Amino acid sequence: MHKNVIIIGGGFGGLETALSLKNLLPSSVRITLVDRSEYHAFIPSIHNIVSGDIQARDIQIPLELVLGVAGIEFVHDEVISADVSDKKVVMSSQVLDYDYLVLSSGGENNFYGVQGAETFSYGFRSPEDAERIHADLCSLLEDRNRKCSLVIAGGGPEGVEVAGELLDVIRGRGYGHELNEGRISLQLIHGQNNLLPSFPVKAQEFAREHLLQKGVTIATGHRIVEVQQNAVTLDSGMKYDMSMLIWTGGIQPNRLIRELPLKKAPNGWLKVTEQLHSPDDDSVYGVGDIVSIYIHDQPLALARLAYHALDQAVTAAMNINSHLRGRRQVGYAPKDRPQLVSLGKEMGIYARKDAVLSGQWVVLLKKAVQARHLMTYLSKPGLSAIMSKIPGMSFGQFLRMLSPL
Ligand SMILES: Cc1cc2nc3c(=O)[nH]c(=O)nc-3n(C[C@H](O)[C@H](O)[C@H](O)COP(=O)(O)OP(=O)(O)OC[C@H]3O[C@@H](n4cnc5c(N)ncnc54)[C@H](O)[C@@H]3O)c2cc1C
């Protein structure tokens, strides 16, 4: 009987796993990817949708197209639950059996139980979220009879990037002179003491100075404790007017992962071994934002980033192939790559270990990374045909051989 591999999620981790598996596994193995969205999106560029620089469709590619050409089945549906004892995936429209399951369903906003936060804030995790922010921001700015008090919750890369884009919209549409003059304000609230907490100090200071100088008001070391329709309250008791709140305050595993009867890390992420499968079940693999990797019972400190998801996908695909063929599996070893943060369209920060550089070229580099990523997936099915003639090499290895980025 043929074997079935089901992958939940067609984001960075899931799509890369599917295409890598297609190269490694015998053609008799059926690979199915399920996603509730029709598209794979380059999420790191959604801030450009906020400014109106690009539209959602510029960073989305249809999963059906990419997977169909590669001979991978795509199911456009929401996964409701996974029954790991009977090896079944339950969707809205059908139930599928699996021999191997790959979980790569990403994270969702964490509102930390703050009253009103989910109801009265804009999420910032998808192209659709960014489109909504752009549309509502433009109407707010245009209505000169209304105050436009913009608040960003969270000063990690997402919060800092969206601040840069909001500034571009305000200035680009000719409202720059009204910023901090009564009608328009832009406030960034961050619970920790420094913006960009996982970055070198030089990058943190640069981001802070740049945003302050451009007119952003920054409140660090304070958490939002309550959100009402037109106001946010901080733990200090301070209350600020708010016409639009953009929430970038952190992520958590979604319900699908929370309800799985498999070991979790203390914060709810799926626990996986160095080989990227559950310690409870070696037919269930996890990649990307949903995992917490444990090596010799110690959690691996790892930021939730797209490039880690891509690397994990290659390791998981290799290990499923090895398991199926009775070979030894490999351990996942994170690689260090530069982080790029834009501060609007004229400035960006490049950070790699302690090296920090800045300039408009970073924004251009980010766009180049986006273009390369999307082009790679559009051409991967073609590459797949070539790769199938080179046994034992995954897409990821092949692509990294071709390009240093
Ligand atoms: C605004 C923003 C900016 C970022 N910038 C960067 C950056 O510059 N560099 C970087 O490396 N990383 C960046 N990241 C992080 C990066 O986007 C994530 O680490 C990456 O997307 C994780 O990949 P993933 O495959 O785990 O999950 P995702 O890419 O989130 O994909 C999950 C997929 O699962 C699907 N799904 C979820 N639940 C279900 C379900 N129940 N049924 C069916 N389908 C489901 C979703 O539709 C989605 O397609 C950024 C993130 C955000 C939000």
Side-chain angles (χ1 to χ4, degrees):
M1 259 228 336
H2 67 250
K3 301 263 183 204
N4 288 312
V5 183
I6 297 184
I7 299 156
I8 304 177
F12 284 88
L15 184 54
E16 180 72 24
T17 308
L19 290 164
S20 297
L21 278 172
K22 188 64 195 170
N23 266 309
L24 296 168
L25 295 177
S27 55
S28 57
V29 179
R30 184 185 292 159
I31 305 169
T32 306
L33 187 146
V34 189
D35 201 304
R36 61 187 174 203
S37 166
E38 282 179 82
Y39 300 101
H40 169 81
F42 192 79
I43 304 294
S45 290
I46 63 170
H47 57 280
N48 293 139
I49 301 174
V50 169
S51 61
D53 193 22
I54 59 169
Q55 293 183 316
R57 63 166 183 266
D58 297 328
I59 53 163
Q60 289 175 318
I61 45 176
L63 284 165
E64 180 86 65
L65 173 78
V66 178
L67 296 168
V69 182
I72 298 166
E73 206 165 311
F74 173 54
V75 177
H76 178 208
D77 203 349
E78 167 112 29
V79 174
I80 312 292
S81 63
D83 178 347
V84 291
S85 51
D86 277 348
K87 295 191 186 299
K88 289 181 191 306
V89 170
V90 182
M91 286 161 259
S92 319
S93 61
Q94 57 180 318
V95 177
L96 288 178
D97 294 316
Y98 69 81
D99 296 284
Y100 294 96
L101 176 65
V102 182
L103 298 159
S104 46
S105 51
E108 65 178 22
N109 281 317
N110 191 345
F111 296 101
Y112 303 99
V114 173
Q115 201 186 334
E118 186 165 6
T119 313
F120 297 118
S121 68
Y122 288 72
F124 184 56
R125 295 202 49 74
S126 68
E128 294 75 24
D129 287 342
E131 280 186 329
R132 207 159 66 90
I133 294 171
H134 175 73
D136 291 359
L137 173 65
C138 292
S139 342
L140 258 176
L141 287 169
E142 275 158 27
D143 186 349
R144 287 210 137 94
N145 297 319
R146 282 179 72 189
K147 274 191 85 174
C148 177
S149 312
L150 308 171
V151 180
I152 299 167
E158 297 86 357
V160 164
E161 285 196 328
V162 82
E165 301 301 314
L166 295 182
L167 284 169
D168 278 354
V169 179
I170 295 167
R171 294 185 191 285
R173 293 186 165 239
Y175 300 103
H177 61 284
E178 291 184 66
L179 184 61
N180 297 329
E181 294 295 328
R183 187 172 85 89
I184 303 175
S185 64
L186 175 49
Q187 174 115 25
L188 194 155
I189 298 166
H190 182 54
Q192 299 184 46
N193 290 327
N194 299 309
L195 300 183
L196 300 177
S198 60
F199 283 66
V201 174
K202 201 172 150 196
Q204 297 174 350
E205 286 169 356
F206 185 89
R208 185 183 180 91
E209 281 312 308
H210 183 86
L211 293 177
L212 281 173
Q213 195 219 328
K214 297 277 177 189
V216 181
T217 311
I218 300 175
T220 48
H222 288 291
R223 287 179 305 108
I224 295 174
V225 290
E226 191 184 349
V227 182
Q228 290 162 315
Q229 192 158 11
N230 297 311
V232 296
T233 308
L234 304 194
D235 53 5
S236 59
M238 280 290 289
K239 199 167 178 167
Y240 294 102
D241 284 349
M242 175 276 281
S243 347
M244 175 183 268
L245 169 65
I246 300 174
W247 193 267
T248 70
I251 57 170
Q252 63 179 352
N254 64 17
R255 190 176 55 83
L256 175 67
I257 301 302
R258 287 200 299 270
E259 290 179 356
L260 270 181
L262 296 173
K263 279 200 186 71
K264 309 285 170 45
N267 42 16
W269 301 107
L270 182 74
K271 210 175 195 181
V272 292
T273 64
E274 204 179 346
Q275 288 73 33
L276 303 181
H277 60 70
S278 161
D280 299 327
D281 186 339
D282 63 5
S283 66
V284 178
Y285 288 73
V287 297
D289 284 0
I290 61 150
V291 295
S292 196
I293 300 165
Y294 276 67
I295 301 180
H296 306 304
D297 261 352
Q298 290 302 313
L300 187 67
L302 205 58
R304 294 194 152 75
L305 291 168
Y307 67 79
H308 290 320
L310 291 169
D311 288 345
Q312 288 161 16
V314 174
T315 303
M318 285 164 67
N319 284 342
I320 290 172
N321 180 51
S322 298
H323 192 270
L324 191 81
R325 297 175 194 268
R327 295 186 195 147
R328 251 182 87 182
Q329 297 190 322
V330 291
Y332 165 69
K335 293 189 188 76
D336 180 56
R337 297 222 175 78
Q339 284 206 71
L340 312 174
V341 180
S342 67
L343 300 162
K345 56 173 171 283
E346 286 171 4
M347 184 52 73
I349 303 173
Y350 168 107
R352 183 166 202 167
K353 297 199 170 136
D354 285 336
V356 177
L357 301 169
S358 57
Q360 191 175 21
W361 61 270
V362 180
V363 180
L364 302 176
L365 181 58
K366 242 184 122 106
K367 289 199 165 136
V369 173
Q370 170 202 309
R372 176 179 168 266
H373 178 84
L374 296 175
M375 281 310 296
T376 296
Y377 280 114
L378 286 172
S379 54
K380 262 188 181 185
L383 283 178
S384 178
I386 305 166
M387 288 303 306
S388 60
K389 307 220 173 338
I390 311 174
M393 189 181 273
S394 72
F395 270 124
Q397 286 169 320
F398 182 62
L399 288 167
R400 274 180 269 287
M401 219 174 71
L402 291 179
S403 160
L405 248 184

